[in-house]
Amino acid sequence: MAIENINIDFEVIRTGNPNTLIICDTSTWAHIKDASAIIEICLPTNKIITHSHIKEKNSVFNSSNLYLSSTNTYTPLPDGLYTITIKGSPDTFQKKRTYIRTEKLRLETAEIYLSYGRNPNDIPEEVKKLSQDIDFLIDASEAAVRRDEKKQAIAFYKEAQRIFDDYNDCKNC
């Protein structure tokens, strides 16, 4: 009988919901399956939150269990870079992943688009271009994270946010 190798791994599930962060454990825990594990989440503010990790399950985080709001009051999680680490016991078995959260900006951009009604022909060309530019920059930000280019990812995200803010500040100009 072959001995299974330990392989700590996980995925962040993009939900489109600005209030939740879901982490799916895809690890092979092998002989440390019954040992304790933790999950550390470094928020965009650089605040690190640590929780016990339930192996082979999805972990759902929100503003309450990330200590960003009072108990049972859920507010949108901040967009930006998150560093997530799952550690087995001993903690030599671990996986770290950087994730750029963009749910809030994506939702806000979609709201602009949808505010023009149901007919795509009613959406002004400048709003279509705005949406395309923001989507492109968000996609570029996510691609930069996959390449471990964190500074570039933040730069793309900030530019997308700036375009959105400029539109929002000037829509009644």
Side-chain angles (χ1 to χ4, degrees), residues 14-25:
R14 184 173 305 286
T15 65
N17 182 346
N19 294 338
T20 59
L21 172 67
I22 300 176
I23 300 168
C24 175
D25 183 1

Side-chain angles (χ1 to χ4, degrees), residues 13-125:
I13 300 173
R14 184 173 305 286
T15 65
N17 182 346
N19 294 338
T20 59
L21 172 67
I22 300 176
I23 300 168
C24 175
D25 183 1
T26 59
S27 303
T28 302
W29 291 96
H31 61 276
I32 65 168
K33 184 175 181 174
D34 294 328
S36 62
I38 62 169
I39 186 165
E40 293 176 348
I41 300 173
C42 181
L43 303 170
T45 60
N46 291 323
K47 179 180 180 182
I48 298 174
I49 306 300
T50 303
H51 284 284
S52 295
H53 177 64
I54 301 171
K55 297 173 182 170
E56 301 174 335
K57 301 283 184 193
N58 289 345
S59 297
V60 180
F61 296 96
N62 54 52
S63 61
S64 179
N65 62 14
L66 290 175
Y67 311 115
L68 298 172
S69 66
S70 61
T71 305
N72 298 324
T73 303
Y74 303 130
T75 59
L77 298 175
D79 280 354
L81 276 181
Y82 287 68
T83 302
I84 302 161
T85 307
I86 294 180
K87 297 179 181 181
S89 180
D91 68 2
T92 53
F93 300 106
Q94 62 178 274
K95 173 76 174 206
K96 181 184 287 191
R97 178 166 283 143
T98 302
Y99 167 73
I100 189 152
R101 186 173 172 78
T102 60
E103 277 75 2
K104 189 173 176 218
L105 181 56
R106 283 187 186 275
L107 185 61
E108 290 171 338
T109 303
E111 288 298 325
I112 290 173
Y113 208 72
L114 295 171
S115 70
Y116 287 92
R118 295 180 184 207
N119 186 343
N121 296 326
D122 293 340
I123 301 169
E125 287 303 315

Side-chain angles (χ1 to χ4, degrees), residues 108-109 111-113 115-116 124 126-127 130 163-173:
E108 290 171 338
T109 303
E111 288 298 325
I112 290 173
Y113 208 72
S115 70
Y116 287 92
E126 64 270 10
V127 172
L130 169 92
I163 291 169
F164 174 82
D165 291 343
D166 285 354
Y167 172 81
N168 244 9
D169 292 345
C170 192
K171 66 182 172 187
N172 295 319
C173 294

Side-chain angles (χ1 to χ4, degrees), residues 14 79 99-110 130-146 152-164:
R14 184 173 305 286
D79 280 354
Y99 167 73
I100 189 152
R101 186 173 172 78
T102 60
E103 277 75 2
K104 189 173 176 218
L105 181 56
R106 283 187 186 275
L107 185 61
E108 290 171 338
T109 303
L130 169 92
S131 180
Q132 290 170 344
D133 289 350
I134 291 172
D135 286 346
F136 173 80
L137 288 164
I138 290 172
D139 290 346
S141 178
E142 292 168 351
V145 167
R146 287 190 297 275
Q152 189 64 54
I154 290 295
F156 283 134
Y157 179 82
K158 284 182 177 180
E159 181 61 12
Q161 185 70 58
R162 185 197 63 75
I163 291 169
F164 174 82

